[in-house]
Amino acid sequence: MLGLGSSLATSGVTSEFSPSNISSLIHWYKHSEGIEEADGSFPEDGEQITAWRDQKGSEDVTSGEGTFMTWNDTEEALVANGDTKKLRTSGDVTLSGRWSMYVRIKFVAVSSGDVFVQDTDDAGMFFRINSATTVKMKIGGAALAWDGGTINTGQYYNIGVERNGSNEIRAYVDGAEYGSAVSNSSDFVWDTIKGGFNDFFKTAIICNSELISGDRAALNTYLNNI
């Protein structure tokens, strides 16, 4: 786990860091908050999730009949329980220019079925794991991939992608750059949180800028402790 130390001095955040300290934060599907079953209460173990409220913006995600993710008390995480389980926004959400997106997830198995975020109506838009050594996105139909160290089952990972002002997109795993930067300037459009395939999904955090190094280190430490 990365220590805060000088990273906090770089970002100007405090030792009580949360994603809300990041000035570019626009959407936050927070660990263990804003998660609802049908009656609006927090779900008990194994119960179906009908909504996950955006703690920063207004893009709540909800579930329709037959697509319910469930809550796992032991892991304190959402579980997709198959390819059709998902939570959707009311419409498309578009990320243009600079942005970043992070998730925290524990894999039951690692495969291309482990989609984190996607556009349901456009197969050319997604953020996922492609294999145990590859993080992958499609943006406007263009396939982007980052190859790095092995991602294992049975442990949590913090996985993120960031695009800077030069349209370079970098992937990060547990706070460290993963693979090499790729270039793409198209909008990334999404409307669905998938949370992997039978995996344990803790949170999704989206910003309208790349992160400075101190915020990236502090976010990684925060995620390691949820």
Side-chain angles (χ1 to χ4, degrees):
M1 182 170 65
L2 296 178
L4 300 184
S6 60
S7 295
L8 288 179
T10 303
S11 65
V13 300
T14 72
S15 59
E16 297 178 348
F17 176 87
S18 82
S20 61
N21 291 101
I22 301 172
S23 61
S24 60
L25 179 70
I26 53 173
H27 304 297
W28 183 13
Y29 303 94
K30 188 176 181 180
H31 167 247
S32 293
E33 290 195 26
I35 300 169
E36 300 175 2
E37 59 170 310
D39 66 3
S41 65
F42 195 91
E44 297 179 2
D45 190 45
E47 288 188 329
Q48 295 176 334
I49 294 167
T50 59
W52 198 0
R53 305 298 176 187
D54 185 351
Q55 300 297 303
K56 175 60 178 180
S58 57
E59 296 293 346
D60 295 343
V61 288
T62 59
S63 182
E65 187 66 32
T67 68
F68 298 107
M69 300 170 77
T70 58
W71 177 253
N72 184 287
D73 257 349
T74 302
E75 295 288 339
E76 296 186 337
L78 292 79
V79 184
N81 295 318
D83 188 55
T84 63
K85 311 307 179 185
K86 56 197 174 187
L87 291 160
R88 294 191 64 171
T89 62
S90 60
D92 285 345
V93 181
T94 301
L95 299 178
S96 301
R98 299 159 59 191
W99 48 260
S100 55
M101 180 180 298
Y102 278 82
V103 302
R104 181 164 174 81
I105 188 168
K106 179 196 280 190
F107 297 100
V108 174
V110 180
S111 75
S112 60
D114 291 315
V115 178
F116 311 142
V117 171
Q118 67 179 25
D119 185 348
T120 298
D121 301 318
D122 185 350
M125 298 281 190
F126 61 71
F127 170 32
R128 76 180 192 205
I129 285 290
N130 200 57
S131 71
T133 58
T134 306
V135 174
K136 186 173 183 179
M137 293 190 80
K138 269 195 176 180
I139 302 180
L144 315 176
W146 299 266
D147 295 313
T150 301
I151 294 172
N152 297 303
T153 60
Q155 66 185 80
Y156 279 98
Y157 289 93
N158 309 322
I159 302 175
V161 282
E162 303 183 19
R163 183 162 70 190
N164 64 21
S166 300
N167 294 317
E168 296 172 327
I169 307 178
R170 289 178 165 82
Y172 294 88
V173 175
D174 291 340
E177 189 167 357
Y178 188 87
S180 301
V182 298
S183 181
N184 183 283
S185 61
S186 299
D187 291 349
F188 179 63
V189 181
W190 66 279
D191 64 7
T192 303
I193 292 178
K194 287 279 293 174
F197 188 92
N198 290 325
D199 302 317
F200 299 109
F201 193 80
K202 292 269 194 181
T203 189
I205 293 165
I206 301 168
C207 302
N208 63 4
S209 179
E210 75 276 23
L211 302 185
I212 62 174
S213 61
D215 281 350
R216 187 179 304 114
L219 176 62
N220 190 66
T221 301
Y222 167 86
L223 293 173
N224 283 343
N225 285 287
I226 63 172

